């Protein structure tokens, strides 16, 4: 016992050097570092747990759909205060609460979680955030974890998406939950042993709990249902350096190359590390142990290899990594099962169970000083030598070179638990079976051998999610062991950890909780435990805080010989005034207590009393014979509870106090024990009669007495032992192997006369070799001077399972087996359809589903437990999984949507293989309104929008309001008027418009719930009390492309009406009101052209006038003055300023409105057009980033800061619907930087916040994320979602105008201003100054026309004239200096250079040069 405690404490200290700073009952990591599953330090007294004093103390439910896959941690901060519980969720929330009361302390969401819907794998539903259990450093109060989230536009456009998924590593102070250092981005880190492989967080999952060794935290990563291109890795992050220091890839070398096609399933080699959430195990000797899952590359192909051979493809392997200097990892040893390729083919994931390193003080033997145990889906438990794992095919006949393989044929998810006292036990819980108990024994050479000696009466859930066994003791005492199991159906269970004589574990009745979340095990505190269920509820179970007494417990009687007795004294102190002790009871009649020995009257608070307890074995005799009842008289450790019941003088305290009594019964005589009572070889599958496999299992013959035991004979029979006349067959030792009944043999059965010393044991190896199909049974008896005992040998043989697969048709039939497409065809919105998958077993053995990854979303299983992993299908039976296609009700004219998903299935039929069932179906909506030439609606549904836009409606032109309103009628009306958008509202109203509604007003469809007045089956907007109206909007898909990526964007309008910014030699100056008396322009009123007025026709008609304006679609006016009262409207929004009517001759142009004119002014520097265009004006360029805004130069598209704002000195000094970069620049005068974001936000600052960096994608807004147009100027970009368009002040210049261009120069300055002397000219007759540039590194900066004007008479104007027709001109060295003042041509508002700046060969310039731009034109 003391060796075990010393080992655990030493291991904790080695892993975290100051671990003992933690509270003695803390759980600051998932179980113990070695993953032995034995926890002696939590004051879990079985006398209390198995009493009414142990109950549910508190429970808490958190957010909707929030789940806890990470196990709770229990911790006492070094900083002081009570013990706390730390939890982390799938929604990236972290929380702390008082461990005793459950009172919340702190909560924080560290990131937006990753969406499960992105990946199509349903292992973790809804959201994926913090999944692996964190670890707390007990020396610093810092909790460490990995969190999955997104970086918008990181690898692909958009805020989400698989390939924008990333992982961050966090360290937070448990006292405040604040970051201890900035989160560390894991993405991009390259593998040490495979540098071509780099980390992509979106395709990988951090499932195992974390492990700390010194200053490095290690985490294992696997895949999502083996989808995408991924490689399992171990990541190590140094918590002092705050960076990744190691990245070890499971699959490396030429057989597992990096392909970089991220949606290629299996492309990275797979080999995930997930272990059902268990941590990577460590023994404190700078070693890590883990086990991996399926791999798609196989370096080992039949030739034996040692564990030190350096295998590069470590799929389906148990691995030992050495921790080197600075935390670097390297391969030391591995074990790969001889049949691992078959396991890959059948999805029998070796990595579903973790590695447990057992207590070396107990679990050791000849040649073995440290034992490791692992298991998985393949139904085998592997007992490994931790110092020599076993390599590949190093055993007899090129099988596994391990200590022992226990064949169970039962799939295990999660590892084993262990109990190192009372001889040593391990525990394993296969899916759908009991928890099996295996006891440590030894063969004749002293090599450790485990034998099954018991099981729980109850079975686990028959589906994936069964937890990991864990054993606690009370203060490390023998006889106090409790086995705990978490079950997804039954909740939490507990048993006494050592089986009774009948081979069963005695159940401890504890409070019922709901089915627990997958792969859980309790986290323990001080006499309390914590678990989470599948609904996200956290439970605390424990004993009441208010106990009336404080008594000695446990009371240990030591070893007592049968036929004698022993007495111990129990001492108690009263915690409160006690009126009387009403009774005292004991659970075992052999323990005696006299009520008269206890106080008979009141007991004062603080009073101490004692009473004796006798363990009376004086009249008990050992009886070990056939049909004997063993009861509680067999030798061994015994325990029971003594309960003192009180009548309290103070309310609020328990009236019962349980005390544990324990001791060891000793028989002086020899006492024969055989374990287990049944040796079950399960079934052997005979695929080839010429090569029948053999199963091997041990059983143990032991002497539980003190005197030597002599074996006197063996016999077996196939008849039941209850018969009166049993025909026994004596075992013959004439020839090996010795026959123990049909099909059963042994090579090492101890000879008759063998003597086993007191307390000794011998392990006997058994083999089951069937010769026929059918069942086999043999009752095997051992005779000795210590009695006789028997064990039942049983097994069966059958032919292989054969899986037959089919999918139902819509007509009720079944598709051929090779068809893997489930096609629902076309379905209507708001309906539910179903199709079914059927798997039948046509073979001779039970068929097991080894892999099942069902769909989730619009396609989902009708029964979530159908066709589940580990489901058994009996012979000649079938299993079914019905898929529902559940479609939402929707508006008319939504484009047909085709949905797809998959259900991935595999079985243990080795010829079956992975079946990826492609599921697809198309939702076909109702079609209304005008149709195009292809028969599709002209208008598609855009969404439900909230009518709260300041200044007017989203769609401004109302067509009608009557009781015949329908969406199709409204669309016909808007189509006739050539509008892009149509909308219905308030049941009766129809609106049209051409300006896209901003996404900020987009609302949930449930708000548009008013039936149309003309058709009750359609929806026409809605109204919410206190919130206003909602409009159902449709759009012409040939002229508008929606964008729903952010709240401020709208979409891309193609062919939509525009305000013409320049027409011929006239510039647009704004939307003007009419004059207060008469017309705004009164010089001339041209006639309306036969084809209608256009901006171009009015331009031609008003040549020679200073101004012209168009009004009310078809009216043209000319004048040299703008008459009194006519003023420019403040808004550029046509829905606000009133200039929203379309030109009669060109419906892509705006021509004023009622009492509103589109006003144009003559620009004398522009040439008079020689003809009048008759076709609609097409914009010559799209939005840009202006290189100069006043005295600020464009710096680039930047990300927001990691914590806080990129610019934080002045927040939103101006913003909203009118925001432009010019307005923001003016508001930020005096600051070094200004930036615009989300179209409407303005920020100023003198420094950039930490983490604010240039966004990937250069100057391409579709990649870098700065794609939002300014609310006040749709020709400029104003940042995006978490992206800022940033400008920086150049203090050497003063600029009085705003300039813009489509190409961004490599360096930007502005005009120096001095009090006297030469000056740089901003504009020269249609050219704009663009800066001071160096010559090119290879040839001249400008090489189109060299020195057309030179000499002492050179002026800028002469050079400009000589370079007419070119995009750039430059002057240098007075007459030709070595630096150039470079000028470029521009266009007002619509900026378009004849060629990008790089085409002028300015990309090769050696030093910074000044570039100028100003207003001009390129015709």
């Amino acid at each position: 016992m003391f060796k075990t405690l010393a080992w655990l404490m030493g291991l904790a200290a080695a892993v975290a050097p100051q671990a003992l700073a933690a509270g003695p009952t803390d759980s600051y990591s998932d179980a113990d570092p070695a993953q032995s599953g034995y926890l002696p330090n939590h004051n879990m007294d079985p006398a209390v747990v198995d009493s009414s004093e142990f109950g549910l103390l508190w429970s808490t439910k958190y957010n909707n759909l929030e789940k806890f896959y990470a196990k709770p941690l229990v911790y006492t901060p070094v900083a002081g205060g009570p013990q706390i519980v730390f939890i982390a969720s799938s929604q990236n929330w972290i929380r702390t609460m008082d461990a005793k009361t459950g009172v919340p302390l702190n909560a924080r969401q560290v990131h937006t979680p990753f969406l499960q819907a992105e990946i199509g794998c349903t292992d973790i539903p809804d959201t994926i955030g913090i999944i692996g259990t964190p670890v707390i450093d007990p020396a610093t109060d810092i909790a460490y974890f990995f969190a999955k989230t997104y970086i918008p536009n990181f690898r692909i456009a958009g805020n989400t998406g698989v390939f924008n998924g990333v992982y961050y590593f966090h360290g937070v102070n448990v006292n405040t939950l604040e970051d201890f250092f900035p989160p560390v981005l894991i993405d991009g880190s390259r593998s040490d042993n495979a540098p071509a492989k780099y980390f992509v967080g979106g395709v990988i999952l951090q499932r195992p709990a974390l492990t700390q060794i010194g200053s490095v935290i290690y985490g294992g990563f696997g895949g999502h249902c083996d989808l995408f291109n991924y490689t399992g890795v171990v990541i190590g992050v140094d918590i002092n350096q705050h960076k990744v220091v190691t990245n070890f890839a499971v699959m490396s070398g030429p057989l597992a190359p990096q392909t970089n096609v991220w949606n290629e399933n299996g492309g990275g080699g797979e080999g995930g590390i997930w272990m059902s959430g268990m941590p990577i195990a460590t023994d404190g000797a700078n070693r890590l142990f883990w086990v991996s899952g399926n791999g798609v590359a196989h370096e080992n192909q039949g030739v034996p290899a040692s564990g030190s051979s350096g295998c590069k493809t470590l799929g389906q392997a148990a691995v030992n990594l050495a921790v080197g200097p600075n935390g670097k990892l390297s391969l030391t040893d591995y074990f790969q099962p001889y049949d691992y390729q078959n396991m890959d083919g059948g999805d029998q994931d070796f990595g579903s169970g973790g590695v447990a390193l057992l207590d070396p003080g107990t679990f050791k033997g000849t040649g073995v000083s440290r034992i490791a145990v692992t298991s998985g889906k393949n139904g085998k438990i592997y007992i490994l030598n931790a110092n020599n794992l076993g390599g590949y095919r190093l055993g007899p006949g090129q099988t596994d070179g391990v200590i022992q393989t226990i064949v169970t044929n039962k799939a295990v998810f999660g590892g084993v638990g262990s109990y190192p006292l009372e001889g040593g036990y391990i525990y394993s819980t296969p899916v759908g079976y009991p928890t099996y108990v295996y006891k440590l024994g030894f063969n004749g050479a002293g090599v450790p051998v485990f034998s099954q000696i018991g099981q729980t009466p109850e079975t686990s859930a028959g589906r994936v999610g069964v937890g990991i066994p864990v054993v606690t003791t009370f203060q490390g005492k023998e006889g106090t062991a409790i086995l705990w199991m978490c079950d997804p159906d039954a909740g939490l269970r507990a048993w006494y950890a050592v089986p009774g004589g009948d081979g069963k574990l005695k159940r401890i009745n504890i409070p019922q909780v709901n089915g627990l979340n997958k792969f859980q095990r309790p986290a323990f505190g001080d006499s309390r435990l914590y678990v989470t269920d599948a609904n996200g509820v956290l439970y605390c179970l424990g004993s009441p805080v208010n106990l009336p007494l404080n008594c000695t417990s446990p009371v240990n009687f030591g070893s007592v010989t049968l036929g004698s007795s022993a007495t111990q004294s129990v001492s108690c102190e009263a915690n409160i005034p006690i009126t009387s002790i009403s009774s005292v009871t004991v659970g075992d009649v052999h323990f005696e207590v006299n009520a008269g020995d206890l106080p008979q009257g009141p007991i004062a608070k603080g009073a101490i009393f004692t009473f004796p307890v006798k363990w009376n074995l004086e009249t008990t005799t050992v009886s070990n014979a056939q049909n004997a009842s063993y009861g509680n008289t067999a030798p061994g450790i015994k325990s029971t509870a003594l309960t003192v019941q009180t009548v309290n003088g103070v309310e609020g305290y328990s009236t019962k106090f349980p005390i544990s009594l324990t001791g060891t019964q000793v028989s002086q005589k020899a006492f024969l024990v055989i374990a287990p009572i049944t040796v079950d070889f399960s079934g052997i599958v005979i695929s080839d009669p010429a090569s029948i496999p053999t199963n091997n299992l041990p059983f143990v013959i032991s002497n539980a007495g003190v005197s030597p035991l002599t074996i006197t004979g063996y016999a077996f029979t196939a008849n039941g032992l209850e018969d009166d006349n049993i025909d026994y067959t004596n075992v013959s030792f004439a020839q090996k192997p010795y026959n123990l009944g049909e099909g059963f043999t042994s090579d090492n059965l101890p000879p008759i006369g063998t003597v086993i010393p007191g307390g000794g044991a011998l392990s006997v190896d058994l083999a089951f070799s069937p010769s026929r199909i059918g069942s086999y049974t043999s009752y095997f008896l051992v005779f000795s001077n210590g009695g006789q005992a028997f064990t039942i040998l049983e097994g069966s043989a059958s032919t292989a399972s054969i899986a037959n697969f089919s999918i139902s048709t819509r007509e009720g039939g079944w598709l051929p087996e090779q068809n893997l497409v489930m096609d629902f065809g076309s379905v209507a919105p708001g309906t539910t359809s179903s199709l079914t998958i059927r798997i039948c077993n046509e073979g001779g053995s039970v068929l097991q589903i080894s892999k099942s990854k069902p769909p989730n979303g619009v396609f989902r299983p009708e029964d979530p437990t159908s066709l589940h992993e580990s489901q058994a299908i009996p012979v000649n039976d079938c299993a079914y999984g019905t898929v529902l296609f559940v479609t939402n009700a929707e508006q008319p004219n939504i484009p047909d949507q085709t949905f797809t998903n998959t259900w991935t299935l595999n079985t243990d039929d080795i010829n079956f293989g992975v079946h990826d069932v492609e599921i697809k179906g198309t939702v076909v909506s109702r079609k209304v309104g005008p149709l195009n030439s292809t028969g599709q609606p002209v208008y598609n549904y855009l969404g439900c929008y909230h009518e709260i836009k300041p200044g007017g409606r989203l769609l401004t032109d109302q067509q009608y309001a009557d009781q015949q309103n329908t969406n199709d009628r409204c669309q016909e009306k808007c189509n006739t008027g050539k509008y892009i958008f149509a909308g219905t509202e308030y049941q009766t109203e129809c609106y049209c418009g051409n300006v896209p509604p901003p996404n900020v007003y987009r609302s949930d469809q449930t708000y548009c719930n008013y039936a149309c007045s003309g058709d009750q089956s359609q929806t026409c907007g809605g109204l919410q009390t206190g919130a206003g109206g909602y409009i159902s909007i449709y759009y012409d898909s040939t002229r508008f492309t929606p964008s729903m990526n952010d709240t401020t964007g709208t979409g891309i309008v193609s062919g939509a009406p525009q305000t013409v910014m320049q027409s011929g030699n006239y510039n647009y100056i704004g939307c003007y009101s009419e004059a207060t008396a008469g017309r705004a322009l009164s010089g001339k009123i041209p006639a309306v052209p036969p084809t209608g007025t256009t901006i171009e026709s009015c331009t031609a008609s008003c040549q020679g006038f200073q101004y012209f304006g168009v009004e009310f679609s078809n009216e043209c006016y000319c004048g040299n003055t703008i008459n009194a009262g006519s003023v420019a409207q403040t808004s550029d929004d046509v829905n606000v300023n009133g200039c929203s009517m379309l030109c009669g001759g060109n419906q892509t142009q705006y021509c004023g409105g009622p009492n509103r004119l589109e006003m144009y002014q003559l620009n004398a520097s522009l040439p008079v057009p020689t003809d009048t265009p008759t076709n609609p004006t097409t914009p010559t360029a799209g939005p840009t980033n202006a290189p100069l805004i006043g005295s600020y130069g464009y710096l680039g598209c930047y990300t927001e800061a990691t914590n806080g704002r990129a610019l934080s000195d002045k927040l939103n000094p101006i913003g909203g619907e009118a925001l432009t970069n010019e307005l923001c620049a003016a508001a930020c005068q005096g600051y070094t930087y200004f930036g615009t974001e989300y179209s409407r936000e303005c920020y100023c600052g003198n420094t950039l916040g930490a983490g604010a960096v240039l966004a990937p994608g250069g100057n391409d807004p579709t990649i870098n994320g700065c794609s939002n147009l300014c609310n006040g100027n749709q020709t400029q970009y104003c940042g995006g979602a978490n992206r800022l368009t940033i400008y920086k002040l150049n203090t050497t210049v003063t600029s009085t105008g705003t300039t813009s261009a489509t190409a961004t120069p490599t360096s930007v300055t502005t005009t120096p201003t001095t009090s006297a002397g030469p000056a740089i000219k901003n504009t020269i007759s249609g050219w704009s100054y663009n800066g001071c540039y160096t010559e090119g590194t290879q040839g001249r900066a400008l090489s189109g026309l060299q020195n057309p004007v030179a000499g002492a008479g050179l002026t800028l104007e002469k050079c400009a004239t000589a370079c007419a027709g070119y995009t750039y001109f430059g002057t240098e060295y007075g007459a030709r200096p070595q630096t150039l003042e470079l000028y470029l041509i521009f266009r007002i508002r619509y900026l378009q250079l004849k060629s990008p700046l790089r085409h002028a060969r300015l990309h090769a310039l050696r030093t910074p040069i000044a570039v100028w731009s100003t207003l001009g034109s390129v015709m």
Side-chain angles (χ1 to χ4, degrees), residues 335 350 356 358 363 368 370-375 380-386 388-390 400-406 416 426 438 440 447-451:
F335 161 66
F350 192 25
L358 306 185
F363 298 98
V368 182
R370 172 65 57 81
I371 291 177
V373 184
T374 188
S375 55
K380 295 179 181 179
I381 301 173
Y382 297 94
I383 311 299
L384 311 177
N385 183 342
N388 183 11
L389 292 176
D400 295 328
V402 299
I403 298 173
Q404 181 185 3
T405 302
I406 303 173
V416 303
I426 61 173
Y438 300 87
L440 175 66
V447 176
V449 178
F450 287 89
S451 303

Side-chain angles (χ1 to χ4, degrees), residues 125 213 284 572 756 995 1086 1146 1192 1369:
I213 296 183
C572 297
I756 302 176
V995 177
N1146 185 348
Y1192 288 86
F1369 80 82

Side-chain angles (χ1 to χ4, degrees), residues 1149-1284:
Q1149 301 174 347
Y1150 285 114
C1151 279
N1155 293 311
R1156 292 291 186 274
L1157 295 88
E1158 307 277 358
M1159 190 74 74
Y1160 294 80
Q1161 183 177 17
L1162 179 69
N1163 185 343
S1165 66
L1166 297 177
V1168 176
T1170 58
D1171 57 0
T1172 301
T1174 58
N1175 295 323
T1177 301
T1178 301
T1180 57
T1184 63
N1185 289 310
L1188 287 175
I1189 300 290
S1191 55
Y1192 288 86
Y1194 177 64
L1195 197 60
C1197 178
Y1198 274 67
T1199 65
E1200 272 289 10
T1202 306
N1203 293 297
R1205 294 281 182 190
L1207 300 174
S1208 58
D1209 291 337
K1210 193 174 184 181
L1211 307 181
N1212 263 343
I1214 189 171
E1217 297 302 317
L1219 180 68
T1220 65
N1221 285 307
E1222 291 83 359
L1223 291 176
C1224 188
C1228 291
Q1229 284 298 318
Y1231 290 92
T1232 305
Y1233 301 92
F1234 80 82
T1236 53
E1237 185 173 6
Y1238 285 117
S1239 298
R1240 58 186 294 121
E1241 299 175 8
C1242 171
Y1243 300 94
C1244 320
N1246 289 314
T1247 58
L1248 292 175
V1253 297
L1254 273 171
N1259 288 324
D1260 187 342
T1262 65
I1263 299 176
N1264 63 31
C1266 287
S1267 58
N1268 286 8
L1269 303 181
C1270 302
N1271 278 346
N1273 185 347
Q1274 298 283 299
T1275 68
Q1276 297 179 356
Y1277 290 112
C1278 280
N1282 291 312
R1283 294 290 192 273
L1284 292 90

Side-chain angles (χ1 to χ4, degrees), residues 518-812:
K518 296 196 296 186
F519 312 129
Q520 294 296 301
R521 55 183 165 192
F524 295 92
D526 187 1
S527 72
R528 294 177 294 272
L529 64 83
Y530 307 85
V531 291
T532 56
D533 72 10
N535 296 315
V537 178
L538 172 64
Y539 298 92
C540 173
L541 281 71
S543 58
V545 175
N546 298 326
L547 294 172
L549 296 169
N550 182 15
C551 298
T552 307
S553 184
V555 178
N556 193 343
F557 287 81
S559 296
V560 179
T561 303
L562 290 166
S564 65
S565 64
T567 300
Q568 291 289 333
S569 179
V570 179
S571 177
C572 297
E573 179 179 356
N575 294 329
I576 59 171
I578 295 174
T579 304
S580 65
I581 293 177
S582 58
S583 67
V584 58
T585 58
V586 184
D588 184 338
V589 296
H590 294 94
F591 291 90
E592 300 172 353
V593 62
N594 187 349
D597 293 332
L598 278 75
Q600 300 302 302
I603 306 171
K605 178 181 178 180
I608 297 174
F609 61 91
T610 61
F611 60 93
V613 179
K614 181 179 181 180
W615 191 12
N616 188 354
L617 302 177
E618 295 170 358
T619 60
T620 304
T621 59
V622 174
S623 176
N624 188 352
Q626 187 175 336
N627 299 324
S629 175
Y630 295 100
N632 200 31
T633 61
I637 295 175
K638 312 299 175 185
S639 62
T640 191
L642 181 153
T643 302
V644 178
Q645 186 142 355
T646 63
V647 177
N648 299 330
V650 178
E651 292 185 355
Y653 284 78
S654 170
T655 59
K656 294 180 181 179
F657 187 89
I659 301 168
S660 286
L661 308 177
T662 184
T664 303
Q665 289 181 182
V666 177
S667 170
Q668 290 297 328
K669 299 178 181 180
F671 191 95
L672 174 64
V673 176
I674 295 180
I677 59 175
T678 300
V679 183
D680 184 359
F681 288 90
S682 299
I684 285 183
V685 177
I686 300 177
S687 302
D688 180 4
S691 178
I692 299 176
T694 297
N695 276 359
N696 297 280
L697 286 175
F699 74 95
V700 176
I701 303 173
S702 60
N703 179 8
V706 175
S707 301
L709 180 143
T710 301
I711 296 175
T712 58
Y714 304 100
F716 60 86
T717 179
N719 302 321
L721 298 182
E722 70 278 1
D723 294 346
D724 293 332
N725 297 314
I726 300 175
D727 184 14
Y728 288 107
T729 301
N730 291 325
V731 173
S732 171
F733 283 85
Q735 182 178 355
K736 288 186 177 183
Y738 310 129
N739 180 26
L740 307 187
E742 183 189 13
F744 304 102
T745 60
S746 174
D747 277 331
N748 68 338
L749 187 68
I752 295 173
T754 297
V755 176
I756 302 176
L762 292 175
S763 180
V764 180
D765 296 327
L766 298 175
F768 173 46
S769 302
S771 57
R772 58 175 174 82
I773 301 297
S775 298
Y776 295 75
T777 303
S778 177
Y779 297 88
F780 179 72
L781 287 84
V782 179
F783 303 92
S784 74
N785 65 334
Q788 67 184 56
F790 70 89
T791 184
I792 303 172
L793 313 181
E794 59 185 30
S796 66
S798 61
T799 57
S801 58
I802 300 174
N804 180 281
F805 176 90
S806 51
I807 299 172
S808 68
T809 66
R810 296 195 296 273
E811 296 73 28

Side-chain angles (χ1 to χ4, degrees), residues 306-530:
S306 73
S308 60
S309 62
C311 179
K312 294 181 175 60
T313 57
L314 294 170
Q316 303 280 28
V319 178
N320 170 10
L321 297 182
V323 180
N326 302 318
K328 288 285 186 183
L329 298 176
S330 59
L331 178 63
T332 296
D333 192 11
Y334 74 94
F335 161 66
Q336 208 163 38
Y338 76 92
D339 56 350
Y340 82 102
Q341 288 176 270
N342 293 338
M343 293 160 59
D344 274 339
D347 279 298
Q348 294 179 336
D349 212 351
F350 192 25
S352 64
V355 177
L357 299 175
L358 306 185
D359 179 355
T362 299
F363 298 98
K364 60 184 177 180
T366 302
V368 182
S369 60
R370 172 65 57 81
I371 291 177
V373 184
T374 188
S375 55
K377 295 184 192 177
N378 65 337
K380 295 179 181 179
I381 301 173
Y382 297 94
I383 311 299
L384 311 177
N385 183 342
N387 299 322
N388 183 11
L389 292 176
Y392 171 68
R393 287 183 176 256
L394 297 182
Q398 293 194 13
T399 57
D400 295 328
V402 299
I403 298 173
Q404 181 185 3
T405 302
I406 303 173
V407 180
T408 67
N409 295 318
K410 300 174 179 69
V412 172
F413 290 76
V416 303
S418 70
Y419 174 43
L421 307 183
E422 303 184 48
Y425 300 83
I426 61 173
Y427 306 82
S428 178
T429 309
V431 175
Y433 292 93
T435 297
Y436 294 102
V437 186
Y438 300 87
K439 186 170 185 179
L440 175 66
F442 302 90
N443 65 15
V447 176
V449 178
F450 287 89
S451 303
Q452 182 186 323
I453 58 106
Q455 65 185 57
T456 59
E458 299 82 9
T459 60
S460 67
R463 60 188 178 95
V464 172
V466 176
I468 305 158
V470 63
V471 176
T472 60
T473 55
F474 184 40
Q475 300 176 2
K477 303 292 179 60
E478 293 182 337
T480 66
I482 302 175
L483 170 67
W484 303 86
M485 276 298 303
C486 293
D487 192 273
D489 288 343
L492 183 65
R493 287 170 164 171
W495 301 267
Y496 290 94
V498 178
D502 59 355
K504 302 294 185 182
L505 298 184
K506 180 185 175 184
R507 181 167 182 175
I508 298 174
N509 292 314
I510 58 176
Q512 181 66 45
V513 298
N514 292 331
L516 299 179
N517 210 358
K518 296 196 296 186
F519 312 129
Q520 294 296 301
R521 55 183 165 192
F524 295 92
D526 187 1
S527 72
R528 294 177 294 272
L529 64 83
Y530 307 85

Side-chain angles (χ1 to χ4, degrees), residues 926-1179:
R926 178 182 177 184
K927 305 296 189 289
V928 301
L931 303 179
N932 59 27
S933 59
T934 65
Q936 295 299 310
V938 170
Y939 290 93
N940 288 332
Y941 186 61
L942 183 63
C944 178
Y945 283 76
H946 199 179
E947 281 278 27
I948 55 172
K949 181 182 177 182
R953 292 190 173 276
L954 294 172
L955 303 181
T956 56
D957 297 343
Q958 184 171 0
Q959 303 299 305
Y960 61 80
D962 59 34
Q963 295 300 315
Q964 287 75 47
N965 183 39
T966 63
N967 286 298
D968 37 329
R969 180 179 171 222
C970 184
Q971 291 167 23
E972 292 283 3
K973 194 78 174 176
C974 294
N975 188 48
T976 301
K978 297 184 180 180
Y979 287 98
I980 297 177
F981 300 96
T984 55
E985 189 170 0
Y986 294 120
Q987 298 184 309
T988 62
E989 300 175 3
C990 171
Y991 295 88
C992 306
N994 288 303
V995 177
N999 285 343
V1000 68
Y1001 304 118
R1002 186 179 174 89
S1003 302
D1004 190 272
Q1005 180 58 37
T1006 56
Y1007 291 111
C1008 287
N1009 56 3
Y1010 273 19
C1012 300
S1013 57
D1015 184 348
Q1016 296 292 306
S1017 68
Q1018 298 183 26
T1019 299
C1020 287
L1023 177 67
Q1024 297 295 315
T1025 303
Y1030 294 82
I1031 182 170
S1032 301
I1033 296 182
Y1034 295 77
Y1035 68 97
D1036 183 342
S1037 60
T1038 65
R1039 302 164 67 193
F1040 177 73
T1041 301
S1043 172
M1044 305 300 178
N1045 289 337
D1046 58 72
T1047 58
T1048 56
T1050 54
I1052 300 172
V1053 177
S1054 174
Q1058 300 183 34
T1059 299
V1060 177
M1061 308 308 295
Q1062 177 190 327
S1063 179
N1065 54 338
Y1066 285 83
N1067 293 336
Y1068 176 72
I1069 60 173
C1071 176
Y1072 276 66
S1073 64
E1074 271 290 7
T1076 52
R1079 292 285 178 188
L1081 300 176
S1082 55
K1084 178 182 177 182
I1085 306 176
V1088 177
T1091 57
T1093 295
T1094 66
I1095 299 297
E1096 292 80 7
S1097 68
C1098 194
T1099 302
S1101 298
C1102 292
Q1103 284 296 323
F1105 286 92
Q1106 186 70 25
Y1107 301 95
F1108 78 83
V1110 287
E1111 183 175 2
F1112 214 77
S1113 292
N1114 269 324
E1115 301 174 5
C1116 174
Y1117 301 93
C1118 318
N1120 289 315
T1121 60
I1122 299 176
N1123 295 325
S1126 177
V1127 294
Q1129 304 302 294
T1130 57
S1131 174
D1132 290 331
D1133 188 338
V1134 297
N1135 289 329
V1136 177
N1137 61 32
C1139 289
S1140 61
M1141 297 187 71
L1142 305 182
C1143 297
N1146 185 348
Q1147 300 229 337
T1148 67
Q1149 301 174 347
Y1150 285 114
C1151 279
N1155 293 311
R1156 292 291 186 274
L1157 295 88
E1158 307 277 358
M1159 190 74 74
Y1160 294 80
Q1161 183 177 17
L1162 179 69
N1163 185 343
S1165 66
L1166 297 177
V1168 176
T1170 58
D1171 57 0
T1172 301
T1174 58
N1175 295 323
T1177 301
T1178 301

